[in-house]
Amino acid sequence: MSSTVAQAIVDTLFEAGARRVYGIPGDTLNHITDAIRLKEDLRWVHVRHEEAGAFAAGADALLTGDLAVCAGSCGPGSLHFINGVFESHRNRAPMVLIASQIVRDELGFDFPQEVDFKSVYASCSVWCDEIRTPAQARRKAAMAAQAALSKRGVAVLIVPADISAAKLTDDDHFAVHRAQSRTIPAPHELDRIAKALNGGGKVAIYGGSGCEGAHDAVLALAARLKAPVAHTSRAKDFLEYDNPHDVGMTGIFGGKAGYHALMGCDTLLLLGCDFAWRQFYPEKAKIIQIDIDPTHLGRRHPVQIGAVGDIGPTLDALLPLIREREDRKFLDASLEVQTQTRENQQSRAVVGKSGAIHPQYLTSLIASQASPDAVYTADGGSPMVWCLRHVPATGQNRTVISLTHGTMANAMPQALGAQAAYPERQVIALCGDGGLSMLLGDLLTAIQEELPIKVCVFNNASLGFVELEQKVEGMLHAFTDLKNPDFAQVARAIGFWGQRVEKPESLEGAVAQWLAEPGPALLDVVTDRYELVMPPKVNASQVLGTALYSAKAVLDGQSEEVTKLLSHALVP
């Protein structure tokens, strides 16, 4: 039995499934870290910045589905987690943050390092509370873990230092229960959905992350309806592979086929999908939405039918009500556009003019040589787009990307968490030069914790995605230049294997060597700065904005840059 509050907290989280704690030790956390030290099979992962710890724990939890923990000292220590906590929470990762606090007698007196963590973390957690007495310790630790696991998000457990050091006064064995429910719509709702789908002419399916584990059920329904299947970025891993109905993504990061299928349908079925961008929904189609979260129904775009259910079981119940459709015209037209889209995208995955290295070429080379079950992380911005477009889903590999929160600097620390969770799998971080620079110090964590992550730097000497956004707005790019070091030399100084590639003829061999390294390895690749992320549909305002930028750039003496930009825009 536990004898102190710290031990009770650690024991409870361990029993709930936690096997790794990411953080930095500090005075108010000392009793917690000592309890972790004494807990066999619970690993402390010592990061160099708390934000990286939260990113890592979130990736760990997201991939495994099990509880992951991060822990910090009072004041700045636990405050540093905030961006990583937002990312993990919005990724719906079951994570507990132990935010240690100053002693209770000094709370409310503006004591050094006093921070009101409850107000800070309220908007990025499913549960946030403080242990006020030793008798509450196990009970609140269990509540935090259960909230994180059942609601799929971050729970914040605030622990004053004098509480963690205290002896237990009540050790009732509060435990965490991982109930597994199965929710399907009522029979009359299924009948209504089936009637709408059977009566539709051009039916399309748009799947989101709620389709995890429902690949076969979605394909069975698509086959009966002769419907193209588009997917969100978060559903790539679950729906793209082995899918003869796949038309890819829509939205800014998507392709023409997904856009064509959704905008051209007259009946759209949303499955576990909470896609935010309203301009990519059809204006006149009948929309049916099925989601496990009732608050998601109709919150992005008006829907005609909304129902609550787990996607797999719901489709199993729905399928017998759906008539086999013979007409494939809409499906075949959508698949033809998908073939053209893939050909156009792959046309850029080659060596560029004058020996430039296209980032698409780099990404495709990595994907072709990586393990089938590799885990990919990618920084917000263009590396994320290249990952989504040029790393095929295999049904075994996974991608961890900041999609809802949209942060920079996530890829490398998320790779740390993925590697800690899966020591035998290949973990590849596709990093922007700006993103990696933000948390560069946590490359040291890979050395200290012996995590053999593979880091690839897309080094275009700029904040490339920001630069593109400025140009589309008709502005000259401002403050986006980066004076980068040779990241390979930096990596070697830290203890990584490191290599820099500037010429495309060296790239294939360098990628093979990089992936084959047994320990942490970094590949610094100088990529084409002028490569464009082209959306599936370019609207008039974007054309006008880019034209305005071009005119300003010529007048500002940047005509060479305009020429390079236009050459990339005109080639598919």
Side-chain angles (χ1 to χ4, degrees):
M1 297 293 288
S2 307
S3 61
T4 67
V5 167
Q7 289 174 331
I9 292 169
V10 170
D11 288 346
T12 302
L13 297 180
F14 183 83
E15 290 168 11
R19 292 297 179 269
R20 287 163 295 279
V21 183
Y22 301 80
I24 298 176
D27 54 354
T28 55
L29 191 66
N30 285 342
H31 288 277
I32 300 287
T33 50
D34 193 56
I36 293 169
R37 177 184 63 83
L38 296 170
K39 190 69 179 179
E40 189 176 357
D41 297 326
L42 182 61
R43 178 181 181 181
W44 176 266
V45 181
H46 187 169
V47 298
R48 298 306 176 100
H49 192 289
E50 289 90 349
E51 181 182 356
F55 278 134
D60 180 331
L62 180 68
L63 291 166
T64 64
D66 294 325
L67 195 68
V69 180
C70 47
S73 58
C74 65
S78 289
L79 197 59
H80 277 160
F81 287 107
I82 184 70
N83 189 50
V85 166
F86 258 105
E87 163 70 7
S88 302
H89 178 64
R90 301 186 83 175
N91 268 347
R92 305 187 75 238
M95 185 177 95
V96 169
L97 165 62
I98 300 174
S100 68
Q101 181 60 285
I102 64 172
V103 297
R104 288 171 296 169
D105 283 349
E106 298 296 346
L107 286 170
F109 296 101
D110 197 22
F111 194 78
Q113 296 192 315
E114 179 180 356
V115 172
D116 182 0
F117 289 125
K118 198 163 184 177
S119 63
V120 168
Y121 284 108
S123 65
C124 56
S125 62
V126 294
W127 187 95
C128 183
D129 208 352
E130 179 181 306
I131 300 176
R132 296 192 178 96
T133 67
Q136 293 181 340
R138 191 181 291 275
R139 188 178 182 184
K140 284 199 172 177
M143 288 175 63
Q146 188 145 333
L149 289 163
S150 61
K151 295 183 177 181
R152 301 285 299 185
V154 175
V156 180
L157 185 65
I158 304 165
V159 188
D162 55 323
I163 288 288
S164 64
K167 299 292 184 182
L168 281 183
T169 58
D170 183 351
D171 199 21
D172 287 344
H173 196 78
F174 289 94
V176 176
H177 304 279
R178 298 189 66 171
Q180 295 184 345
S181 60
R182 180 178 181 272
T183 303
I184 62 174
H188 73 275
E189 292 179 306
L190 291 171
D191 288 339
R192 189 180 176 206
I193 294 169
K195 184 177 179 181
L197 293 173
N198 286 330
K202 299 177 180 178
V203 180
I205 295 172
Y206 192 26
S209 59
C211 292
E212 183 176 3
H215 175 275
D216 292 349
V218 173
L219 262 61
L221 179 64
R224 191 160 294 186
L225 290 169
K226 304 298 184 288
V229 178
H231 59 80
T232 65
S233 306
R234 290 171 62 91
K236 173 185 172 70
D237 296 347
F238 314 131
L239 292 178
E240 182 181 273
Y241 69 97
D242 295 340
N243 182 353
H245 294 251
D246 176 53
V247 292
M249 302 178 298
T250 185
I252 296 170
F253 307 141
K256 289 183 179 179
Y259 179 83
H260 171 272
L262 266 62
M263 303 307 279
C265 71
D266 59 34
T267 306
L268 176 61
L269 177 61
L270 304 177
L271 298 175
C273 170
D274 190 38
F275 183 68
W277 306 100
R278 292 187 294 165
Q279 65 268 37
F280 291 99
Y281 286 88
E283 293 182 3
K284 298 180 180 179
K286 176 180 286 187
I287 301 180
I288 305 158
Q289 184 176 6
I290 303 172
D291 201 289
I292 192 59
D293 188 339
T295 66
H296 288 183
L297 300 179
R299 78 168 178 170
R300 303 301 187 188
H301 191 280
V303 302
Q304 282 66 53
I305 302 175
V308 174
D310 293 296
I311 300 305
T314 296
L315 296 190
D316 289 341
L318 179 64
L319 193 62
L321 306 177
I322 301 299
R323 294 195 301 267
E324 182 80 33
R325 191 181 296 252
E326 301 297 331
D327 186 354
R328 291 180 52 96
K329 291 179 183 177
F330 181 59
L331 171 60
D332 289 340
S334 299
L335 293 175
E336 184 177 346
V337 178
Q338 173 68 339
T339 299
Q340 296 169 358
T341 299
R342 285 176 173 160
E343 289 174 353
N344 288 341
Q345 290 178 349
Q346 286 304 117
S347 72
R348 302 297 296 174
V350 295
V351 176
K353 295 178 180 178
S354 303
I357 299 176
H358 289 319
Q360 301 97 315
Y361 175 54
L362 169 59
T363 310
S364 295
L365 269 181
I366 292 170
S368 69
Q369 298 189 34
S371 300
D373 67 345
V375 178
Y376 296 85
T377 65
D379 270 336
S382 53
M384 171 178 67
V385 180
W386 309 136
C387 180
L388 290 169
R389 290 182 177 178
H390 295 278
V391 176
T394 64
Q396 302 173 63
N397 59 7
R398 290 298 307 273
T399 53
V400 181
I401 296 173
S402 180
L403 292 162
T404 306
H405 190 47
T407 185
M408 292 176 64
N410 57 292
M412 183 269 291
Q414 286 176 332
L416 296 172
Q419 193 73 83
Y422 295 107
E424 303 305 318
R425 289 175 72 171
Q426 192 176 66
V427 178
I428 299 169
L430 306 179
C431 298
D433 44 3
L436 181 65
S437 300
M438 283 183 170
L439 289 172
L440 189 65
D442 264 281
L443 288 174
L444 292 163
T445 300
I447 300 299
Q448 177 157 333
E449 296 294 329
E450 299 181 349
L451 299 170
I453 60 172
K454 304 296 179 278
V455 177
C456 180
V457 186
F458 288 64
N459 189 345
N460 60 7
S462 71
L463 299 175
F465 208 77
V466 178
E467 196 168 281
L468 178 61
E469 290 168 334
Q470 291 175 347
K471 291 172 181 175
V472 170
E473 292 286 337
M475 304 172 185
L476 294 175
H477 61 80
F479 316 121
T480 57
D481 292 341
L482 297 175
K483 290 186 178 180
N484 290 325
D486 182 327
F487 287 106
Q489 288 189 20
V490 173
R492 289 195 293 270
I494 288 172
F496 273 63
W497 175 94
Q499 184 172 337
R500 182 178 173 92
V501 179
E502 299 179 357
K503 302 296 183 182
E505 57 267 23
S506 307
L507 188 59
E508 187 169 358
V511 167
Q513 186 178 359
W514 167 66
L515 290 175
E517 283 298 312
L522 184 145
L523 191 66
D524 181 12
V525 182
V526 178
T527 57
D528 189 348
R529 178 171 183 161
Y530 299 99
E531 193 59 57
L532 297 175
V533 175
M534 297 296 289
K537 179 178 173 58
V538 179
N539 62 43
S541 65
Q542 291 170 323
V543 173
L544 181 62
T546 307
L548 181 59
Y549 153 75
S550 300
K552 289 180 179 179
V554 170
L555 292 173
D556 197 49
Q558 301 178 31
S559 56
E560 183 179 351
E561 182 171 317
V562 172
T563 301
K564 292 178 179 178
L565 180 73
L566 291 176
S567 69
H568 286 68
L570 294 174
V571 177

XYZ file of all heavy atoms in Angstrom, residues 309-382:
557
model
N -23.217 7.970 -32.968
C -22.846 6.564 -32.955
C -21.379 6.356 -33.236
O -20.708 7.211 -33.834
N -20.842 5.221 -32.775
C -19.516 4.775 -33.179
C -19.599 4.360 -34.642
O -20.534 3.660 -35.047
C -19.067 3.594 -32.329
C -18.841 3.978 -30.880
O -17.934 4.785 -30.631
O -19.578 3.481 -30.011
N -18.606 4.749 -35.441
C -18.726 4.573 -36.885
C -18.789 3.102 -37.282
O -19.662 2.698 -38.072
C -17.575 5.285 -37.608
C -17.603 6.798 -37.292
C -17.670 5.062 -39.118
C -18.925 7.478 -37.597
N -17.906 2.273 -36.777
C -17.909 0.866 -37.155
C -19.225 0.162 -36.862
O -19.872 -0.376 -37.775
N -19.663 0.126 -35.608
C -20.935 -0.524 -35.283
C -22.128 0.106 -35.993
O -23.077 -0.604 -36.380
C -21.042 -0.346 -33.764
C -19.640 -0.199 -33.293
C -18.932 0.533 -34.389
N -22.107 1.418 -36.172
C -23.232 2.083 -36.855
C -23.328 1.634 -38.308
O -24.420 1.345 -38.816
C -23.072 3.610 -36.775
O -23.136 4.014 -35.402
C -24.173 4.312 -37.545
N -22.192 1.550 -38.993
C -22.229 1.115 -40.393
C -22.594 -0.360 -40.513
O -23.256 -0.765 -41.478
C -20.885 1.394 -41.067
C -20.482 2.870 -41.178
C -19.256 3.017 -42.066
C -21.621 3.731 -41.694
N -22.184 -1.160 -39.548
C -22.594 -2.570 -39.552
C -24.118 -2.691 -39.470
O -24.723 -3.552 -40.122
C -21.963 -3.317 -38.376
C -20.463 -3.510 -38.547
O -19.979 -3.396 -39.691
O -19.782 -3.767 -37.530
N -24.732 -1.810 -38.672
C -26.188 -1.831 -38.545
C -26.879 -1.199 -39.753
O -27.997 -1.587 -40.125
C -26.606 -1.096 -37.273
N -26.212 -0.251 -40.380
C -26.798 0.470 -41.513
C -26.726 -0.320 -42.810
O -27.640 -0.250 -43.650
C -26.072 1.813 -41.673
C -26.519 2.729 -42.823
C -27.961 3.191 -42.624
C -25.577 3.925 -42.938
N -25.655 -1.086 -43.002
C -25.399 -1.728 -44.296
C -26.559 -2.596 -44.803
O -26.887 -2.538 -45.996
C -24.106 -2.537 -44.220
C -23.539 -3.019 -45.563
C -23.180 -1.839 -46.458
C -22.319 -3.908 -45.331
N -27.212 -3.402 -43.969
C -28.317 -4.214 -44.487
C -29.489 -3.393 -45.028
O -30.321 -3.931 -45.774
C -28.755 -5.033 -43.253
C -27.562 -5.057 -42.363
C -26.902 -3.732 -42.556
N -29.556 -2.125 -44.677
C -30.652 -1.264 -45.130
C -30.330 -0.561 -46.450
O -31.197 0.125 -47.012
C -30.957 -0.200 -44.064
C -31.247 -0.720 -42.648
C -31.460 0.449 -41.687
C -32.453 -1.652 -42.643
N -29.106 -0.710 -46.935
C -28.658 0.010 -48.131
C -28.786 -0.889 -49.368
O -28.314 -2.028 -49.383
C -27.197 0.476 -47.976
C -27.066 1.395 -46.756
C -26.718 1.196 -49.232
C -27.890 2.651 -46.813
N -29.408 -0.358 -50.403
C -29.567 -1.096 -51.660
C -28.278 -1.039 -52.478
O -27.604 -0.009 -52.512
C -30.713 -0.511 -52.486
C -32.092 -0.667 -51.851
C -33.194 -0.405 -52.886
N -33.101 0.941 -53.451
C -33.753 1.998 -52.973
N -34.531 1.862 -51.912
N -33.627 3.178 -53.563
N -27.975 -2.157 -53.146
C -26.817 -2.195 -54.040
C -27.072 -1.278 -55.228
O -28.101 -1.354 -55.883
C -26.586 -3.622 -54.528
C -25.381 -3.787 -55.413
C -24.073 -3.861 -54.636
O -24.086 -4.406 -53.503
O -23.053 -3.373 -55.152
N -26.118 -0.393 -55.494
C -26.236 0.557 -56.599
C -25.412 0.040 -57.792
O -24.328 -0.505 -57.613
C -25.712 1.917 -56.140
C -25.993 3.084 -57.073
C -25.387 4.347 -56.484
N -26.028 4.699 -55.229
C -26.855 5.726 -55.077
N -27.131 6.513 -56.098
N -27.397 5.975 -53.906
N -25.928 0.234 -58.969
C -25.241 -0.227 -60.180
C -24.468 0.896 -60.872
O -23.417 0.666 -61.463
C -26.254 -0.836 -61.165
C -27.031 -2.022 -60.611
C -26.125 -3.204 -60.268
O -25.067 -3.348 -60.917
O -26.477 -3.960 -59.339
N -24.983 2.103 -60.798
C -24.404 3.233 -61.532
C -23.082 3.669 -60.889
O -23.047 4.092 -59.735
C -25.405 4.384 -61.532
C -24.941 5.561 -62.394
O -23.801 5.521 -62.895
O -25.726 6.516 -62.560
N -21.975 3.594 -61.660
C -20.654 3.950 -61.170
C -20.122 5.253 -61.768
O -18.956 5.592 -61.581
C -19.643 2.845 -61.523
C -19.798 1.540 -60.816
C -18.703 0.578 -61.302
N -17.369 1.186 -61.212
C -16.538 1.008 -60.184
N -16.904 0.251 -59.165
N -15.346 1.587 -60.193
N -20.958 5.971 -62.496
C -20.448 7.121 -63.247
C -19.778 8.152 -62.344
O -18.681 8.641 -62.644
C -21.585 7.770 -64.040
C -22.099 6.928 -65.200
C -23.239 7.623 -65.920
C -23.795 6.750 -67.040
N -24.967 7.390 -67.700
N -20.432 8.507 -61.254
C -19.862 9.520 -60.368
C -18.589 9.003 -59.713
O -17.576 9.721 -59.624
C -20.879 9.923 -59.298
C -20.393 10.983 -58.353
C -19.991 12.226 -58.805
C -20.333 10.739 -56.982
C -19.531 13.210 -57.931
C -19.889 11.703 -56.103
C -19.486 12.939 -56.578
N -18.588 7.741 -59.278
C -17.390 7.144 -58.678
C -16.245 7.116 -59.672
O -15.116 7.525 -59.358
C -17.710 5.736 -58.182
C -16.511 4.896 -57.711
C -15.796 5.569 -56.549
C -16.972 3.494 -57.324
N -16.499 6.635 -60.875
C -15.440 6.512 -61.873
C -14.876 7.879 -62.269
O -13.660 8.021 -62.471
C -15.955 5.782 -63.112
C -16.189 4.296 -62.851
O -15.606 3.770 -61.881
O -16.958 3.673 -63.599
N -15.750 8.870 -62.375
C -15.277 10.220 -62.699
C -14.378 10.748 -61.581
O -13.340 11.385 -61.844
C -16.465 11.153 -62.922
N -14.754 10.486 -60.345
C -13.955 10.939 -59.203
C -12.612 10.224 -59.169
O -11.562 10.837 -58.886
C -14.711 10.700 -57.896
O -15.930 11.426 -57.863
N -12.612 8.919 -59.458
C -11.360 8.156 -59.458
C -10.442 8.596 -60.580
O -9.208 8.586 -60.425
C -11.665 6.665 -59.567
C -12.372 6.038 -58.351
C -12.736 4.582 -58.637
C -11.512 6.142 -57.101
N -11.014 9.001 -61.710
C -10.194 9.499 -62.812
C -9.485 10.791 -62.410
O -8.303 10.992 -62.708
C -11.061 9.733 -64.047
C -10.271 10.167 -65.273
C -11.128 10.330 -66.513
O -12.277 9.856 -66.509
O -10.640 10.929 -67.486
N -10.201 11.666 -61.719
C -9.577 12.901 -61.227
C -8.489 12.566 -60.206
O -7.434 13.212 -60.175
C -10.634 13.844 -60.611
C -9.969 15.103 -60.059
C -11.691 14.216 -61.631
N -8.732 11.554 -59.382
C -7.722 11.150 -58.403
C -6.451 10.653 -59.087
O -5.333 10.966 -58.658
C -8.287 10.060 -57.480
C -7.295 9.432 -56.509
C -6.820 10.380 -55.421
O -6.901 11.598 -55.547
N -6.308 9.818 -54.330
N -6.603 9.899 -60.157
C -5.432 9.443 -60.913
C -4.641 10.631 -61.443
O -3.402 10.677 -61.346
C -5.869 8.529 -62.074
O -6.540 7.385 -61.543
C -4.667 8.079 -62.893
N -5.350 11.617 -62.002
C -4.684 12.816 -62.515
C -4.007 13.595 -61.386
O -2.887 14.107 -61.543
C -5.701 13.706 -63.231
C -6.314 13.075 -64.478
C -7.500 13.873 -64.993
O -7.902 14.883 -64.408
N -8.073 13.420 -66.109
N -4.687 13.682 -60.240
C -4.124 14.401 -59.091
C -2.820 13.769 -58.642
O -1.815 14.458 -58.397
C -5.128 14.419 -57.931
O -6.326 15.090 -58.346
C -4.558 15.126 -56.713
N -2.820 12.446 -58.522
C -1.605 11.756 -58.082
C -0.476 11.930 -59.090
O 0.684 12.121 -58.701
C -1.912 10.268 -57.873
C -2.696 9.988 -56.587
C -3.056 8.538 -56.468
N -3.660 8.240 -55.167
C -4.406 7.175 -54.930
N -4.656 6.304 -55.906
N -4.915 6.958 -53.717
N -0.806 11.871 -60.360
C 0.223 12.058 -61.388
C 0.807 13.460 -61.314
O 2.028 13.642 -61.420
C -0.370 11.795 -62.773
C -0.682 10.327 -63.034
C -1.391 10.113 -64.356
O -1.766 11.120 -65.010
O -1.582 8.947 -64.745
N -0.037 14.459 -61.121
C 0.446 15.837 -61.021
C 1.323 16.021 -59.789
O 2.374 16.684 -59.853
C -0.734 16.808 -60.977
C -1.441 16.929 -62.313
O -0.884 16.590 -63.355
N -2.675 17.412 -62.292
N 0.890 15.460 -58.664
C 1.679 15.598 -57.444
C 3.015 14.880 -57.574
O 4.052 15.401 -57.158
C 0.886 15.082 -56.243
C -0.289 15.970 -55.859
C -1.100 15.423 -54.694
O -0.931 14.283 -54.282
N -1.996 16.244 -54.160
N 3.011 13.705 -58.173
C 4.250 12.957 -58.320
C 5.190 13.578 -59.351
O 6.393 13.344 -59.311
C 3.948 11.504 -58.696
C 3.403 10.679 -57.536
C 4.320 10.699 -56.327
O 3.949 11.190 -55.256
N 5.533 10.209 -56.475
N 4.624 14.395 -60.251
C 5.489 15.051 -61.232
C 6.450 16.026 -60.565
O 7.474 16.398 -61.150
C 4.640 15.784 -62.281
O 4.030 16.945 -61.730
N 6.135 16.462 -59.347
C 7.032 17.347 -58.607
C 8.011 16.562 -57.742
O 8.962 17.125 -57.208
C 6.228 18.303 -57.705
C 5.224 19.160 -58.430
C 5.881 20.096 -59.411
N 6.746 21.087 -58.779
C 7.503 21.938 -59.445
N 7.517 21.906 -60.758
N 8.260 22.810 -58.808
N 7.770 15.256 -57.584
C 8.634 14.427 -56.742
C 9.829 13.926 -57.541
O 10.137 12.730 -57.585
C 7.840 13.272 -56.156
N 10.516 14.859 -58.191
C 11.669 14.562 -59.043
C 12.735 15.621 -58.770
O 12.498 16.611 -58.075
C 11.274 14.575 -60.540
C 10.299 13.447 -60.854
C 10.689 15.920 -60.941
N 13.897 15.412 -59.352
C 14.960 16.412 -59.242
C 14.520 17.675 -59.972
O 14.011 17.623 -61.096
C 16.265 15.881 -59.853
C 17.344 16.964 -59.821
C 16.723 14.642 -59.098
N 14.682 18.822 -59.341
C 14.239 20.076 -59.912
C 15.201 20.631 -60.944
O 16.291 20.101 -61.177
N 14.778 21.715 -61.583
C 15.625 22.393 -62.555
C 16.884 22.926 -61.867
O 16.843 23.349 -60.717
C 14.867 23.542 -63.206
C 13.669 23.098 -64.048
C 12.939 24.298 -64.628
C 11.746 23.872 -65.475
N 11.006 25.040 -66.010
N 17.972 22.889 -62.574
C 19.264 23.398 -62.077
C 19.695 22.677 -60.805
O 20.396 23.244 -59.968
C 19.188 24.908 -61.826
O 18.790 25.584 -63.014
N 19.231 21.442 -60.642
C 19.691 20.647 -59.514
C 19.045 20.974 -58.191
O 19.556 20.566 -57.141
N 17.915 21.684 -58.198
C 17.223 21.975 -56.944
C 16.605 20.692 -56.381
O 16.198 19.798 -57.122
C 16.133 23.015 -57.172
N 16.517 20.599 -55.060
C 15.889 19.445 -54.412
C 14.463 19.819 -54.041
O 14.236 20.629 -53.139
C 16.678 19.010 -53.164
C 18.101 18.593 -53.556
C 15.952 17.864 -52.460
C 18.979 18.231 -52.377
N 13.515 19.263 -54.771
C 12.111 19.485 -54.414
C 11.812 18.772 -53.095
O 12.196 17.613 -52.915
C 11.176 18.927 -55.489
C 11.171 19.705 -56.768
N 11.179 21.067 -56.807
C 11.138 19.289 -58.066
C 11.164 21.475 -58.070
N 11.141 20.402 -58.855
N 11.101 19.420 -52.181
C 10.738 18.727 -50.936
C 9.862 17.504 -51.188
O 9.897 16.542 -50.416
C 10.005 19.804 -50.134
C 9.604 20.850 -51.129
C 10.640 20.820 -52.193
N 9.076 17.520 -52.275
C 8.270 16.349 -52.611
C 9.164 15.158 -52.956
O 8.853 14.008 -52.602
C 7.341 16.655 -53.800
C 6.386 17.805 -53.571
C 6.911 19.101 -54.150
O 8.084 19.428 -53.980
N 6.053 19.851 -54.812
N 10.249 15.428 -53.665
C 11.194 14.370 -54.025
C 11.833 13.783 -52.772
O 11.943 12.555 -52.619
C 12.255 14.953 -54.970
C 13.369 14.015 -55.345
C 13.111 12.757 -55.891
C 14.705 14.403 -55.179
C 14.152 11.906 -56.254
C 15.742 13.562 -55.546
C 15.463 12.313 -56.071
O 16.490 11.469 -56.435
N 12.238 14.649 -51.870
C 12.831 14.207 -50.608
C 11.855 13.327 -49.832
O 12.214 12.234 -49.359
C 13.235 15.430 -49.781
C 13.638 15.191 -48.326
C 14.820 14.245 -48.230
C 13.945 16.529 -47.643
N 10.611 13.787 -49.695
C 9.616 13.039 -48.924
C 9.319 11.685 -49.562
O 9.215 10.668 -48.867
C 8.319 13.854 -48.802
O 8.628 15.172 -48.349
C 7.355 13.206 -47.818
N 9.190 11.667 -50.881
C 8.917 10.409 -51.582
C 10.069 9.423 -51.430
O 9.845 8.213 -51.274
C 8.643 10.680 -53.061
O 7.464 11.424 -53.233
N 11.298 9.913 -51.480
C 12.457 9.037 -51.272
C 12.431 8.418 -49.878
O 12.686 7.221 -49.703
C 13.750 9.828 -51.449
C 14.385 9.883 -52.836
C 15.679 10.700 -52.786
C 14.673 8.486 -53.359
N 12.133 9.239 -48.886
C 12.071 8.732 -47.510
C 10.987 7.657 -47.399
O 11.216 6.571 -46.845
C 11.800 9.883 -46.525
C 13.004 10.822 -46.454
C 11.469 9.336 -45.132
C 12.748 12.109 -45.695
N 9.808 7.941 -47.935
C 8.694 6.985 -47.838
C 9.022 5.679 -48.545
O 8.629 4.597 -48.074
C 7.432 7.607 -48.425
N 9.742 5.753 -49.669
C 10.050 4.539 -50.430
C 11.050 3.643 -49.716
O 11.101 2.436 -49.967
C 10.586 4.910 -51.816
O 11.877 5.509 -51.725
N 11.858 4.226 -48.811
C 12.890 3.441 -48.129
C 12.561 3.164 -46.666
O 13.272 2.385 -46.013
C 14.236 4.175 -48.220
C 14.725 4.366 -49.655
C 16.149 4.889 -49.720
O 16.978 4.561 -48.881
N 16.451 5.701 -50.717
N 11.516 3.772 -46.151
C 11.167 3.603 -44.740
C 10.497 2.259 -44.498
O 9.988 1.608 -45.416
C 10.248 4.736 -44.301
N 10.462 1.855 -43.244
C 9.775 0.615 -42.861
C 8.277 0.763 -43.076
O 7.728 1.858 -42.908
C 10.055 0.301 -41.395
O 11.442 0.131 -41.166
N 7.585 -0.338 -43.414
C 6.132 -0.242 -43.630
C 5.359 0.223 -42.411
O 4.284 0.799 -42.542
C 5.743 -1.681 -44.013
C 7.003 -2.323 -44.485
C 8.109 -1.684 -43.703
N 5.904 -0.006 -41.199
C 5.199 0.395 -39.983
C 5.840 1.613 -39.319
O 5.680 1.839 -38.119
C 5.125 -0.754 -38.984
C 6.492 -1.149 -38.420
O 7.529 -0.732 -39.011
O 6.536 -1.859 -37.407
N 6.553 2.412 -40.109
C 7.209 3.605 -39.556
C 6.181 4.584 -38.997
O 5.046 4.661 -39.471
C 8.048 4.290 -40.627
N 6.602 5.330 -37.994
C 5.809 6.434 -37.458
C 6.421 7.728 -37.978
O 7.623 7.960 -37.824
C 5.804 6.444 -35.921
C 5.011 7.647 -35.399
C 5.216 5.148 -35.364
N 5.592 8.564 -38.607
C 6.041 9.855 -39.125
C 5.460 10.976 -38.269
O 4.266 10.974 -37.954
C 5.571 10.069 -40.559
C 6.122 9.106 -41.579
C 5.511 7.876 -41.799
C 7.244 9.430 -42.343
C 6.000 6.983 -42.742
C 7.741 8.547 -43.291
C 7.112 7.320 -43.488
O 7.597 6.446 -44.425
N 6.298 11.926 -37.929
C 5.816 13.182 -37.376
C 6.253 14.282 -38.332
O 7.265 14.147 -39.021
C 6.385 13.449 -35.972
O 7.807 13.623 -36.057
C 6.077 12.292 -35.024
N 5.485 15.364 -38.391
C 5.832 16.438 -39.331
C 5.479 17.780 -38.719
O 4.416 17.938 -38.101
C 5.104 16.249 -40.658
N 6.365 18.741 -38.911
C 6.137 20.088 -38.391
C 4.987 20.773 -39.120
O 4.769 20.547 -40.322
C 7.394 20.941 -38.556
C 8.313 20.854 -37.353
O 7.829 20.536 -36.250
O 9.524 21.095 -37.515
N 4.282 21.635 -38.378
C 3.276 22.473 -38.989
C 3.901 23.331 -40.079
O 5.009 23.825 -39.945
N 3.166 23.505 -41.198
C 3.703 24.206 -42.358
C 3.896 23.241 -43.499
O 3.242 22.203 -43.592
N 4.851 23.526 -44.375
C 4.996 22.713 -45.581
C 5.440 21.273 -45.312
O 4.989 20.374 -46.029
C 5.930 23.406 -46.581
O 7.153 23.754 -45.989
